[in-house]
Amino acid sequence: MTSSRHNFTSLVRGSLAHRAGYACSSPLCRALTAGPSDESVQARSDVGVAAHITAAAPGGPRYDETLSEAERTSAENGIWLCQICAKKIDDDVVTYPVSLLRQWKQYAEADARERQGRPSQSAGASALVRDPLEQMIAHRMRDALIAATSPMAAMLARTAGSDAFGMLSRLMLSTPPEGPYSQYPDVSIVRPLAAHIITPRLLEPAVDVDAAPGVRWIDWIISGLHQCGAECNEALGLYASRGPGVLIAQFEELNRCMPMAVDALSRLAARRPGQSWTAGDGSYFEETLRVLVKAQRTWMKFLLHWQTKVPV
């Protein structure tokens, strides 16, 4: 029976390890993954993993159905990690999206290139210092994005099918032509996705284990946006005195946009069941999707800055 899993070849695996300097590509780890074993004078120990950035098989973490087998098994779709970090990224695809892993890979290869042929620094001198406040903001923003997107994802999965659900995932995680932190979403996805959402079912009770009994889909979606907006506002208050100007500007933009999205959807929520929908109604959800993309990419940019202290 043919396996649907597309694994890396040993050549690709060796290339990923070598280009990362045989060290984990996570900027908070960078642990060496190769060393000697006491089994014999020739034995060696290897704790490195050639991890897939987008999954090797359907149903896996960050799976991208648009990739061919050759693309899925290429070095471009791989990142070298230690076993612990490889497990972390696959257990939490929200915290570790495709865009962030590609940034890690670029950072690790640049770091390996910079350190090649140079004396190593002490661990204390080279270690990154984790800021507890920034860590708290990162985790709260992650939870806020889950709260904002989960109701919409649940509705799409139950009422529109897997194709529409996949469209939402691609919208939030894909890298636009302008770069991974562009504030402009993929317009080829926004409009058809909004059309899947803006249906009379919005005013029906949400049939999902995570929804409160009797709450409508649109009310649940609005509640998630409220929570996301509150967390963005809190993050701005905590971060304003210390963060880079470009990130502060993005948080400020979110704080302007999120209430407008909530207000627009609240107008839709006031509609009577059976009332016909207009083309203008779809624009409300298009704008909401754009705001969610802004929130996702602001969070990814913040996360990269916090984890690597790379200038933004």
Side-chain angles (χ1 to χ4, degrees):
M1 183 167 141
T2 304
S3 172
S4 61
R5 181 178 174 82
H6 297 153
N7 295 314
F8 294 125
T9 64
S10 58
L11 184 64
V12 168
R13 186 179 184 278
S15 174
L16 291 171
H18 197 100
R19 290 181 63 83
Y22 286 88
C24 179
S25 295
S26 167
L28 291 175
C29 180
R30 297 299 284 150
L32 289 176
T33 59
S37 166
D38 291 334
E39 291 286 329
S40 71
V41 293
Q42 294 183 334
R44 56 189 181 178
S45 175
D46 183 358
V47 295
V49 176
H52 284 76
I53 293 176
T54 66
R62 297 171 298 275
Y63 181 72
D64 184 351
E65 61 183 8
T66 65
L67 295 185
S68 66
E69 180 176 353
E71 291 170 325
R72 194 168 288 119
T73 57
S74 70
E76 186 178 355
N77 190 41
I79 181 171
W80 188 255
L81 297 167
C82 69
Q83 292 179 5
I84 293 175
C85 290
K87 182 75 164 60
K88 282 182 180 179
I89 69 163
D90 284 352
D91 284 350
D92 188 352
V93 298
V94 176
T95 298
Y96 306 105
V98 170
S99 297
L100 182 65
L101 298 184
R102 295 201 188 284
Q103 290 285 345
W104 278 12
K105 184 176 180 178
Q106 292 174 6
Y107 169 83
E109 291 183 356
D111 181 57
R113 187 179 297 112
E114 179 69 19
R115 290 193 291 126
Q116 190 174 21
R118 297 188 178 188
S120 63
Q121 294 176 297
S122 68
S126 62
L128 291 168
V129 179
R130 296 183 108 175
D131 185 316
L133 175 61
E134 292 182 354
Q135 183 175 16
M136 180 187 73
I137 293 172
H139 289 169
R140 288 179 62 171
M141 283 290 290
R142 175 198 63 194
D143 293 343
L145 278 165
I146 292 173
T149 56
S150 291
M152 207 175 296
M155 177 186 167
L156 289 169
R158 289 186 175 271
T159 66
S162 59
D163 288 346
F165 177 78
M167 288 170 68
L168 179 63
S169 299
R170 291 198 299 278
L171 178 69
M172 299 299 290
L173 298 179
S174 63
T175 301
E178 297 85 356
Y181 304 118
S182 166
Q183 295 298 288
Y184 302 100
D186 188 335
V187 293
S188 68
I189 299 178
V190 168
R191 184 156 294 175
L193 181 56
H196 279 294
I197 299 171
I198 194 76
T199 70
R201 287 175 174 160
L202 266 174
L203 304 180
E204 295 177 358
V207 183
D208 192 88
V209 293
D210 292 325
V215 70
R216 298 178 302 171
W217 286 113
I218 193 165
D219 298 323
W220 191 24
I221 291 170
I222 290 171
S223 175
L225 289 173
H226 265 302
Q227 181 177 338
C228 191
E231 292 292 354
C232 289
N233 188 54
E234 182 74 12
L236 177 62
L238 294 169
Y239 199 52
S241 63
R242 59 165 59 193
V246 65
L247 266 177
I248 298 304
Q250 286 188 209
F251 276 118
E252 290 173 341
E253 175 69 10
L254 278 177
N255 281 326
R256 285 192 295 269
C257 294
M258 196 68 73
M260 290 190 290
V262 169
D263 182 63
L265 294 192
S266 296
R267 276 181 252 145
L268 290 181
R271 298 175 73 91
R272 296 187 305 275
Q275 191 174 352
S276 60
W277 300 88
T278 67
D281 295 332
S283 65
Y284 290 144
F285 253 103
E286 287 178 31
E287 186 55 36
T288 298
L289 291 169
R290 291 187 180 97
V291 171
L292 287 175
V293 169
K294 284 184 180 181
Q296 168 81 353
R297 291 177 183 158
T298 298
W299 172 70
M300 288 196 297
K301 195 167 189 175
F302 173 85
L303 192 63
L304 178 69
H305 173 70
W306 166 60
Q307 291 184 330
T308 67
K309 298 305 178 186
V310 169
V312 294

